[in-house]
Structures are given as structure tokens and as C-alpha cells.
Amino acid sequence: MKILYLNSSGGLGGAEVCLLDMIASLKQEHPEWTFGLITAQDGPLVSRAAALGVTTRVLPLPPRLSRLGDSKRASGMPGKIKLGLQLAASVFPVRAWSRQLHQAIEEFAPDLIHSNTLKMHVLGSFANRTRRPLIWHLHDYIGSRPFMRRALRFCRNRCTAVLANSNSVRDDARHILNRRTGNDELGGPEVLTVYNAVDLNEFSPHGPAANLDALCGLQPPAAPVVRVGLLATMAWWKGHRDFIEALDVLQAEAIRGYMIGGPLYESVGSQESLDDLKALSAELGLQDQFGFTGFVEKPAEVIRALDIVVHASTRPEPFGRVVVEAMACGKPVITTALGGAAELVSIGDNALNYQAGEVEKLTLRIFELARSPQLRQKLGSAGRETAEKKFDRRRLGKQLGDAYSKAKVGRKF
Ligand code: GLC
């Protein structure tokens, strides 16, 4: 089978790393299959896919289009009007770009198209004029996206089936895509959960660990410290500020905090600025105890260097790949456990939780874990077990291969 992936970003966010995992596991399961990838932006995703033997092609989106997005913090009326005007101004560039995408699809002549990002679900649906089987893979909620939920509902009959990264995302998608309207008997495409998975050899308790202090330009500590990190894209809802504030309360303890990750997205208003976060940490006097690594190539090495991983998302997390990566490395996780992230952990067994936004509670959890190496050890090894049972990458290839084979001949999942 010939599979073509569509992804708007060329960077390595959670959805893109998952895409690389999907391809690697499918190659293991079906060595005879061939894979292509079209992105709307160049970047490390493209080179990493090429290294896996994928035929890659970059079709740059006009900048006006790549900056468009509806995942901003505020979506009051002026914001909506602005987005509406921007969309109206994008009609012609979209049509021209969609023609190019159509040609690129036909040149690759895939048996199935798998689109991996919201923008590509819409753009791909229109560019797929020859109606090849098309799978949308949802890594995000659509219900809270004022434009996307309408756009996806509008083109839902152009897509063969939908994959969701958690039951929580699946239920949200069903609500939008499967809602029946008077004369629409179909009720939209089938939506199936396929949990992400990681390479358990790469994300493992054993292997090289990064020197976090050197990465952040911090002096080595004079006495041993407990290292606590938050790994995330810079999306505004990942709880960066809560994490910094919690570390502020813990200033007197032998604890160091690390913010791991850098900006990835082009859509305006969708992310925190690294400079603002650095300014906040300096304002709180945390400069000797809190470091910023920026984007890291090898997250497993960074996780291995931490004692505690914090996942502080302030709104429901579609999946929470970092939680699984941390568990696979045998690290204790503190999470807000909202949305899909709640499906990954068993609180008290392999993770601790706190109510999103309650910085005091987060502080207490960090303190509790920082002073108990036994608890860290217990949660960490239970986490590794969970990762081995539920999030082994070898499961992915089989599950996806099955879904593709069914979608190709129009059978239900
Ligand atoms: C998106 C989601 C994140 C998930 C990732 C991979 O980035 O926000 O929760 O882990 O996709 O599915």
C-alpha cells in the first residue's frame, strides 16, 4: 500500500513526533508499504521523515495562511471578526495552493491519504479531488475551535474515517462530526481512538542523560538538588506560568526547575513567549534556580536528567505525549489529568495530580515528591510498567495498518 501523509507544520510538536512513530512502526509491520509526506513548511519533521525512507515534499503555504489560526486565548467578537476578514482574504491564495496540493497528491498517487493536522484536514479534503480514501487524524479538540469545528463539519463527508488520539478527543469529535441534521442520514464519518505510542528503547530509564544546567547556562549546584521539569510546546494553555510560580514558592528548597521546549507554531496568538516567561522568572528572583533549555533534539535524555516531570496544562489535554514519555523513562509525573491525559495515568499508582490552575497544590505535590525518593521510585517504576503495557510503539503499526486496510476498501473499523 502507498500512504501519503499531510502535515502543515515542519517542526516537531507532539503530533509530528507521533507521525514519525506511526511511520516507523508501520515500516516494521509492513516493510513492503511505501510512504510519502507533504508538509506546508520545511523543518526537522521533513528531514527525520526522509531519514526513515519517506518521499518528502514541501509546499510552502503563503505566510498569510500559515499565520491563520483559531486557538488563541481570547475569542471575543473583535477576534472573530478579524479572523473572518482574514479568512475572506485567504480565499484566492487557498485555491491556488490547493491546486498545487492536488497535483502533488496525484503525482504520488497514494492508495490512502492520512492528514495529521487540522489545517491539512480542511485543505486536503478540497485538494483530494479524485476522492482517494482520506483519514483525518485528530490530535486536538475541535469543539472549542470556532472556525475549525465548522470547517470540518462542512467537509466531513469528504473524509473516509477519523482517528482520535484519546477517547476524550474522540467524543468531542463525534459530537461535532456525527451530529445528525434533518436530512443527513449518514451522520458523518466513523471516529476511532488510536492511542499514541513511544519507542520504549529510546524512552527508557537507561541511557545518556543531558546536563540540564549546562543546557540552561546555570552554575552547577553546590549541593545536590531535585530536578523538576515541564516539557511542552509553548501553547498558552500548557501551564508554564503556574509551573514558574510553584518553583517560586519552593525557592528555599534544594529544588531546581527547568522549562523544556521552544516556540513552534506560526499561528498568531497561540503561544507564550519564551522572553516573557524568562522575564517572569527573573522578576521572581529565580535566575539561579530556574533554567530554560529551548527546543531539545532528544527529549529522552532530558527526561532522564529530571527527578520529577510536571504536566501543568490548564485546559483538557488532548493526549499528553509527554506524560507517556516520562512514564516510559521511569519518572514520576505530576499532572492536571484533564481530558485525554486522565486516560493515561492511574492517580496514586503511577502519577500524582492536582487541580489545574491551583498553584498551591502543585507546589505541595512537588514538595511531597522532592522529599521522598521512595515515592518517586514507586511511581516511576509503575509508570514504566504502564508504558510497556499500553504505549509500546509496536502496537501502533498493527492498529494503523488494520485501519488503513479497512478504510481503503470502505469497510467499517
Ligand atoms: C497534540 C496534543 C497533545 C498530544 C499530541 C500528540 O500536540 O495537544 O496532547 O500529545 O498532539 O497526539
Side-chain angles (χ1 to χ4, degrees), residues 373-386:
Q374 296 79 6
L375 183 57
R376 297 206 295 272
Q377 168 65 34
K378 181 190 130 199
L379 297 176
S381 47
R384 174 69 193 182
E385 250 176 61
T386 306

Side-chain angles (χ1 to χ4, degrees), residues 239 242-243 310-314 334-338 347 352-359 361-363 365:
D242 290 352
F243 181 56
V310 170
H311 172 250
S313 296
T314 54
I334 302 173
T335 169
T336 46
L338 294 176
I347 300 303
L352 299 183
N353 69 337
Y354 74 99
Q355 179 105 32
E358 290 199 358
V359 174
K361 292 274 162 50
L362 170 59
T363 311
R365 294 284 175 269

